[in-house]
Amino acid sequence: MAGQSDPQLSLFSCQEVEFLAEDELVQIIPNMKMEALHMICGDFGPFLPQIAVNVPLWLAVALKKRAKCVVSIPEWMSVEKLTQVLEAERESPREFQPLPFHYIEISRLIFDHARDDIPDVYMVRSLIEDIRDVRFHKVESGLETISGRTHAVKLKNLSAMEVNIVRPFVIRALQAFYKHDSPQIIPQPEASGSGSRRPQVADRGPRRDLRPR
Amino acid sequence: MARYYDLDDIITEDEGTSVIFQVGANGVGLLDPSSENNNVEKGSKVDLPFWLAHELYLRKAVTINFPACFNQKIRKEIQADAACVDLKIQCPYFYEFGCKIIPLTGDKTLGSFLQYAFTSRYKEALSKSHGAGTSPKFLNRLTIEETHLFEAARCSMINLKKWRLGGCRLEKAAILGRKRKSV
C-alpha cells in the first residue's frame, strides 16, 4: 500500500491501521439538518435531526467534535455482548470469536471522541482490554507450535491490529524455519541420486493449521 | 550472490574458518603468521575468512576443518537446554554460518542440528519478546538472527502500547516548526 511507513517489512504502524479503521460504518443520530454528502466511496445522508444514519467513522468523529451528532454505539460494544464474547474466548482455547475486523481501533476511537455516548464506559473498556489480552495470549501459544513443517498459518477471525502486531515476528520466524528446513540444508533420505527437487517440496507433510477451521 | 547487498550476509562470510593447505602457496605469507618466508607451506593450518576459504576450497587448494562452534560439546549443551546456551559468543551468525558451511564439510547431521537449535530457542524468544520486561542477560545470549526476531516483536508491542496510551494525535509537519527567515 502506498502510505505504509515501512514498505520493506510490509508493516503498518498502529496509526495506519487506525486510519484504515476509520472507513468502517457506524450509526449516528444527528441533531442538525444537512444535505446528503456525496463522497467517492458513496453518498451519506441526508442528515435530519433524530433520524439515524450510517456514516464512516471519520465523519462521525468529525461531527461529534462539532457536537452535531450522538454516536449510537455498535451492538457488539454493549456490556452483555462483550461479556458473552469474553466468556466464549476463555472457554475455547483454540478458537477466536467473531468480532469486527477493526474492533480494537473502533473502540479506541469511540472511547476517545464519544465517551459520553457509551453507557458503562469503564466496564466496556475493561471488557475490551480483557478480550484483547485473552486473544493475544491465544495467538502467542498458537505461534509456539510453528515448526519447520509449517508452510502457512491460518488464524480465523483474527483482527487487523492483532495481525499487525505479530506480523514482523511471524514473517521472520517463518522465513528462518523455511530456510532451515530446505532440502539443501537437511539432506533427506530419498534425495539420493539425481531426483529433482520439486517432488520433495510437495512431499513435506501436510500443512499444519494453527487453529481448527 | 542473491544477497549481494545484505550486510549480515557479508559479515557472516567474514567468520574465521580453519583450513589446511593442500598445496604450497607462494607470496601469501601474511595469511600465516607463523611462516618465516613469504610462503604458506603445504599442510600448514591457517585461519582464513570464510569467503576466502570457500573459494580456495572450490579450487581444491585447501580442506576445511570442522568449525569449533558446531562441535560435540556445543551440540550436547544445546540438547540439554537450548535456551541457556550463549550462541552469540560461539558465533554471532550461528545459523547462517552453519548453513554456509554444510556443503563444504559434508556433515549430514549439522542441518537437523541447526533446525533443532532454532526451534527450541525460538519458543523462548517468542514468550520473552511479547511479554513485559526482559533481562539483558537473555538478550546477550541470542545470535544476530534471533535478536532481529526478538526486536521485531518487541518493537510492535511497544508501538501498540504507545498507540493505546494515546498522546498527541496530530503530528506537526516538520516544515511548520521552522521559523521564517528574516529577509
Side-chain angles (χ1 to χ4, degrees), chain B:
Chain B
M1 273 304 179
R3 305 171 66 197
Y4 189 76
Y5 293 107
D6 187 345
L7 273 184
D8 284 334
D9 197 55
I10 295 169
I11 304 174
T12 310
E13 300 215 331
D14 200 34
E15 197 64 37
T17 317
S18 145
V19 300
I20 295 173
F21 270 79
Q22 297 299 306
V23 291
N26 291 336
V28 287
L30 85 157
L31 294 178
D32 185 3
S34 68
S35 87
E36 282 159 8
N37 43 20
N38 200 19
N39 302 333
V40 175
E41 302 289 321
K42 183 179 173 185
S44 53
K45 194 174 163 188
V46 184
D47 265 349
L48 295 182
F50 175 80
W51 53 268
L52 184 55
H54 186 207
E55 288 301 317
L56 291 176
Y57 174 83
L58 291 181
R59 290 167 177 72
K60 302 233 161 51
V62 299
T63 54
I64 292 187
N65 288 333
F66 204 64
C69 53
F70 305 113
N71 63 16
Q72 286 303 322
K73 185 169 163 263
I74 304 291
R75 290 192 195 202
K76 285 245 169 68
E77 280 177 18
I78 294 262
Q79 265 156 25
D81 190 353
C84 287
V85 184
D86 187 344
L87 282 185
K88 196 173 191 175
I89 213 165
Q90 300 297 336
C91 172
Y93 292 93
F94 189 79
Y95 303 109
E96 292 81 356
F97 185 53
C99 291
K100 279 176 189 289
I101 207 96
I102 285 173
L104 307 192
T105 56
D107 188 316
K108 292 238 180 342
T109 56
L110 185 55
S112 20
F113 163 68
L114 286 178
Q115 197 194 20
Y116 173 79
F118 184 77
T119 313
S120 26
R121 287 167 69 89
Y122 153 83
K123 279 174 195 155
E124 186 83 1
L126 170 74
S127 57
K128 289 228 165 106
S129 57
H130 288 105
T134 43
S135 58
K137 220 176 168 186
F138 163 74
L139 269 179
N140 286 338
R141 290 199 296 263
L142 298 180
T143 70
I144 303 286
E145 169 62 26
E146 285 166 343
T147 315
H148 285 325
L149 195 61
F150 183 84
E151 287 299 329
R154 228 194 17 189
C155 274
S156 55
M157 285 312 273
I158 290 174
N159 280 339
L160 175 76
K161 271 192 196 129
K162 234 191 239 163
W163 173 78
R164 256 174 53 215
L165 294 179
C168 185
R169 301 184 68 81
L170 281 178
E171 276 180 35
K172 205 175 183 183
I175 199 164
L176 291 179
R178 284 187 217 147
K179 280 190 180 158
R180 200 179 294 168
K181 270 185 196 163
S182 54
V183 189

